Amino acid sequence: MALSAGFAALLLVAGVLALRRPRSPASLLLLALVGGLVAGDDAGSRSRGSCLASIEGGEPVIAVGLLADRLPAATDASMRAGAGLAAATIAAAGRLCDVTRLRTTLPLSEGVHEAGVTLVVRGVWRRSGDPLLPRAPTKYGFVSGSRAEPVDSAGRRAALGLPARIRASLAGRLERRLPSREMAAIAKALLLADRTTLSRETRQRFVDAGIVHLLAISGLHVGMIAGGIVWVLGLVERRPRRWVWAALAVTAYVAMIGAPPAATRAGLLFWGHAYCRWRGRPARVSDLAGAAALVALGRDPLLLTDPGFQLSFGGYAGVLAGHRCGVALAARLAVARGGADSPLARLGRRTGWLLDGLASSAGAFILTAPIAAIHFGRVVATSIPASLASTGLVALALPTVAATALLPGLAGTLAGGAAGSLLLVLESVAGAFAGVPLRWRVGETAGWSWVLAGLLTAGLLRSRRSRRIGWGLAVLALVFASLAAPAARRYAGTGTPLVCHLDVGQGDAAVARTSAGRWAVFDAGPGTSVLEGRGAGAAELRSGLGPGDAGRDVIAPFLRRHGVREIELLTLSHAHLDHFGGSGALFDGFRIRHVLDPGIPEPSASYLSFLERVDEERAVWIRATAGDTLVIDDLELAVLWPTPDAGMDVNESSLSFRVRLGPLSYLNTGDASVETEAEILHRFGPGAVRADVLKLGHHGSRTSSSVEWLRAARPAVAVMSLGRDNRYGHPHEATLRRLDSARVRRVWRTDRHGALCVEGTGDGWRIVDP
């Protein structure tokens, strides 16, 4: 209240100043700033106090609401989809929360669920988004459903609303008329902002290519659709008021797709442009963009913290700036080629679209890169050429997709064939650019450094144009930042390879960082967070593991201290809770991209819960087979075991692998026995298992770590991961004698020494503090 009162006082002062000097830009800016702070403070307080914000991650919930998206039938039992529930009520821990729209992920059933049916969804609540920033209440999390049951909803179907019913009807037409399920999923994303059935593999290709914005309704889509509407209306109406009719049609379209931030921004921009054309007045796109932003923020101040809103306006501003730079560069090149009438100048005019497209794409990349780095820890420079190559395809595909959805009978089917061909080419372009290694993972600090670099560059360009002294200062600042960045990175340790074996008690967990700052986690330690909200067999499975959870208490805090937001790879050695029980906390706290699993079926509720979480989070599941190799930056993981015929015993089929990370080598065999070690030596030879750091099998049990294995590995450090005073008697005396016989001089026990961290250096490696 005191903060709001202070803002109100400042608003009053700013208003008086603005009235006394109405043309003062500073007064008007202060007025707008203070007004925004007051509105944002009020909206943020209400958001943080909302019912959904109070639900803890992992809580079992039941949600009831109207299905807002059409869900197709499943082609296999493991398929899931994201969907929205309108007019929903969610029950969690004795509380009832009523929300206008609720996000869910659902298992697909054998039949089709049409939009408007009432669903009862049982599952768990998953937190999402940055916990430090207020946001719209519906953005605090989603329901990860384990079961969805339709109930009779004849009386409630109309409550869904006409726009949502039209959207679902068009989605059904696209599914029936396009040649494949994946083509239909891409078409629904392009035209209807419906990504419910888009596969994670397809989405990842667009992410890696830097053009994932094409799978959401952006200003580009709305602009193309608005242009098409104006052209159609121009066939029957030549007067300027056709622009107003087109703006009304665009408004209906934006409402039909759910009014996402980028589409809303484009719709407001088009309204301003249509008004200017109707009144015969000049329109400045930069002024229209600012007005659209003010209108959107006035309606919902919390949009300012939404990544989609930031990327939408940042990308639009970047396109404008890039276009202006491209025009200026083309003019200079024309002069350098010998004048406007020279052959080279004429050639330049014919290919000017290419320069303009590259400049616009580069501008959008430069202004959106800091936003992507901060929110997603990712910068994808491939987006510059990929956007240029794919924008034309989208311009061709959108009309054919719209015709497929709108035209009746045979005409719609024929349009579907043309649309399917164009979408196939678009997917191929995304796949081609996804293989280009022009993307980087950045930490939280590095994300803010992109913002600093952008501000300094803007200052440099502006001061250079005005020939002020700031030009020299900006250059010096950029040079200093460039020189200081490597030193700061070395100081922070984000540019050095690192392997840490963590102290998680009687279990296993290790982490590794590549030189580019990406992270892998090898096992998630003991715990039961993977079972939270599942209920099945929880009491029996929790017995003997203690009250703690390694994922929540050890691994997640360690990763957060190092600024980690995303785990590139999570490996599961085998399906025992002392190795993956803490994985639930990692799924809750981080984006996990890939999961490596030996894939030995284990008929347990805990392993089933793990697989469900992998699918819910849309991580790429990879089955480990001896001879496979995975590469992440300078980390190379070679799978040594299991083979396809390794058998069904989960210990004997433990994932065994050797990691090369810069100058480091690390060997881990899970709980594999001496028989498995002998099979690996026979199959690959002693050279394949040599390692600087060896994780001893099965927590120092006598069933692992033969003398032959230890002599082949020749580790400088052997690590035992075990709990203090454990009831299994680990490490066994026989194992200690074998270590002495193999002349392993340094043995690190987590029960006595804690976590072990080994860092790569220019000439080798060293043990460092965790």
Side-chain angles (χ1 to χ4, degrees):
M1 290 296 294
L3 189 61
S4 297
F7 283 150
L10 287 174
L11 181 63
L12 179 62
V13 172
V16 172
L17 290 175
L19 289 173
R20 291 183 60 188
R21 300 181 63 190
R23 295 190 177 183
S24 170
S27 299
L28 294 176
L29 180 62
L30 180 61
L31 179 65
L33 176 63
V34 175
L37 289 173
V38 172
D41 175 60
D42 179 62
S45 298
R46 286 187 282 106
S47 174
R48 289 188 184 277
S50 64
C51 187
L52 292 184
S54 66
I55 304 178
E56 296 294 332
E59 279 192 31
V61 296
I62 299 175
V64 182
L66 294 171
L67 182 63
D69 304 284
R70 182 182 186 274
L71 294 181
T75 55
D76 63 74
S78 64
M79 289 189 64
R80 298 179 63 86
L85 294 181
T89 299
I90 180 171
R95 299 184 301 278
L96 291 177
C97 303
D98 294 323
V99 292
T100 56
R101 189 174 178 91
L102 183 68
R103 295 183 297 152
T104 65
T105 60
L106 303 170
L108 295 183
S109 62
E110 295 180 358
V112 174
H113 287 330
E114 295 290 350
V117 67
T118 298
L119 283 186
V120 178
V121 180
R122 290 175 170 81
V124 293
W125 181 253
R126 301 296 180 206
R127 301 280 289 187
S128 62
D130 190 338
L132 299 178
L133 295 175
R135 52 198 182 277
T138 54
K139 298 291 183 67
Y140 275 101
F142 64 95
V143 176
S144 175
S146 57
R147 191 170 66 210
E149 302 168 354
V151 297
D152 184 19
S153 59
R156 297 189 66 201
R157 192 179 299 270
L160 183 62
L162 181 61
R165 295 203 300 274
I166 293 174
R167 180 171 177 245
S169 175
L170 296 178
R173 288 191 179 186
L174 291 174
E175 289 173 2
R176 291 190 296 271
R177 292 176 174 178
L178 284 165
S180 72
R181 189 188 194 102
E182 200 59 34
M183 293 303 102
I186 297 175
K188 289 191 293 181
L190 287 176
L191 184 67
L192 304 174
D194 179 358
R195 292 182 285 178
T196 54
T197 54
L198 197 69
S199 71
R200 67 169 68 94
E201 292 81 9
T202 298
R203 185 181 185 280
Q204 193 60 51
R205 280 195 291 272
F206 279 80
V207 168
D208 291 340
I211 53 174
V212 69
H213 60 279
L214 296 180
L215 299 180
I217 298 297
S218 66
L220 171 70
H221 300 73
V222 177
M224 291 176 180
I225 289 170
I229 294 173
V230 170
W231 180 80
V232 171
L233 290 176
L235 298 177
V236 295
E237 173 66 76
R238 303 299 299 175
R239 286 173 291 182
R241 65 183 181 185
R242 74 180 186 276
W243 291 90
V244 177
W245 292 114
L248 290 171
V250 168
T251 302
Y253 169 71
V254 171
M256 186 265 294
I257 63 175
T264 302
R265 182 264 300 168
L268 292 171
L269 273 170
F270 187 71
W271 260 111
H273 182 72
Y275 176 79
C276 293
R277 294 296 296 263
W278 177 46
R279 303 296 294 178
R281 296 176 179 176
R284 292 181 57 183
V285 290
S286 56
D287 292 345
L288 293 178
L294 288 175
V295 171
L297 290 173
R299 178 178 173 271
D300 181 9
L302 294 181
L303 272 178
L304 191 62
T305 65
D306 185 79
F309 178 85
Q310 298 169 11
L311 288 169
S312 174
F313 279 89
Y316 186 75
V319 168
L320 292 180
H323 170 70
R324 291 174 181 173
C325 291
V327 170
L329 180 59
R332 291 189 179 185
L333 289 176
V335 173
R337 289 168 181 150
D341 295 329
S342 66
L344 288 177
R346 289 196 295 271
L347 177 63
R349 283 194 293 272
R350 293 191 185 99
T351 58
W353 62 271
L354 179 60
L355 177 62
D356 183 47
L358 286 173
S360 299
S361 296
F365 166 75
I366 290 171
L367 288 191
T368 56
I371 302 171
I374 291 171
H375 288 291
F376 311 115
R378 178 175 56 242
V379 174
V380 186
T382 322
S383 62
I384 299 174
S387 295
L388 183 62
S390 56
T391 299
L393 283 171
V394 172
L396 293 173
L398 262 179
T400 59
V401 170
T404 304
L406 295 173
L407 293 179
L410 180 61
T413 304
L414 293 175
S421 300
L422 290 169
L423 295 175
L424 181 61
V425 176
L426 177 63
E427 187 181 23
S428 301
V429 169
F433 281 102
V436 179
L438 288 177
R439 54 186 180 272
W440 303 276
R441 302 285 168 182
V442 295
E444 186 172 0
T445 304
W448 286 107
S449 70
W450 277 79
V451 176
L452 176 61
L455 293 174
L456 290 171
T457 304
L460 167 63
L461 294 174
R462 185 167 183 82
S463 60
R464 182 176 182 272
R465 186 168 57 186
S466 59
R467 299 183 182 277
R468 294 176 181 172
I469 193 171
W471 176 80
L473 294 177
V475 170
L476 288 176
L478 282 173
V479 171
F480 176 78
S482 301
L483 294 176
R489 186 166 58 248
R490 285 195 299 271
Y491 179 78
T494 58
T496 54
L498 179 74
V499 173
C500 288
H501 221 288
L502 303 179
D503 179 13
V504 293
Q506 190 67 21
D508 272 353
V511 298
R513 180 184 64 209
T514 71
S515 296
R518 291 200 279 183
W519 289 79
V521 176
F522 310 129
D523 281 337
T528 55
S529 62
V530 73
L531 292 165
E532 287 182 8
R534 305 291 172 173
E540 294 78 4
L541 292 165
R542 284 180 170 88
S543 63
L545 288 172
D549 184 273
R552 180 186 63 240
D553 304 332
V554 180
I555 308 172
F558 177 90
L559 294 175
R560 291 193 186 102
R561 286 198 304 271
H562 287 77
V564 180
R565 293 186 175 187
E566 183 174 272
I567 297 171
E568 184 70 21
L569 176 67
L570 170 65
T571 71
L572 168 65
S573 62
H574 61 289
H576 284 165
L577 275 174
D578 58 331
H579 288 257
F580 76 99
S583 61
L586 300 184
F587 281 112
D588 287 337
F590 306 91
R591 167 76 171 96
I592 298 178
R593 295 193 63 200
H594 300 88
V595 173
L596 183 65
D597 180 358
I600 305 302
E602 171 71 0
S604 67
S606 57
Y607 185 54
L608 177 61
S609 296
F610 175 80
L611 294 178
E612 288 177 351
R613 288 305 304 270
V614 172
D615 192 59
E616 288 167 7
E617 304 299 330
R618 299 200 170 191
V620 178
W621 186 86
I622 305 169
R623 182 169 186 173
T625 304
D628 291 348
T629 301
L630 278 74
V631 178
I632 307 170
D633 302 326
D634 56 343
L635 184 152
E636 181 180 297
L637 185 150
V639 179
L640 305 175
W641 198 261
T643 59
D645 56 350
M648 302 300 290
D649 184 275
V650 290
N651 275 349
E652 292 303 315
S653 300
S654 283
L655 170 61
S656 302
F657 60 89
R658 179 175 181 255
V659 167
R660 293 195 63 86
L661 181 56
L664 279 170
S665 54
Y666 169 73
L667 183 61
N668 189 324
T669 59
D671 283 358
S673 68
V674 293
E675 289 79 13
T676 298
E677 294 168 355
E679 289 288 343
I680 294 173
L681 287 175
H682 175 73
R683 186 180 183 90
F684 293 99
V689 302
R690 291 208 175 104
D692 300 310
V693 180
L694 167 67
K695 199 282 298 185
L696 293 180
H698 210 165
H699 320 290
S701 167
R702 67 173 64 90
T703 60
S704 303
S705 306
S706 67
V707 174
E708 293 76 18
W709 177 257
L710 296 172
R711 286 175 177 168
R714 295 192 297 186
V717 182
V719 185
M720 293 184 190
S721 184
L722 64 162
R724 296 166 183 81
D725 302 321
N726 63 85
R727 60 192 178 99
Y728 304 100
H730 296 157
H732 289 159
E733 186 63 33
T735 304
L736 297 176
R737 288 197 299 268
R738 293 173 193 164
L739 288 165
D740 188 60
S741 299
R743 298 186 178 181
V744 178
R745 299 305 180 196
R746 186 157 198 173
V747 178
W748 191 285
R749 294 176 49 167
T750 59
D751 62 334
R752 294 182 179 178
H753 308 117
L756 169 69
C757 284
V758 180
E759 180 184 64
T761 63
D763 55 356
W765 54 271
R766 61 179 179 178
I767 295 177
V768 297
D769 292 332

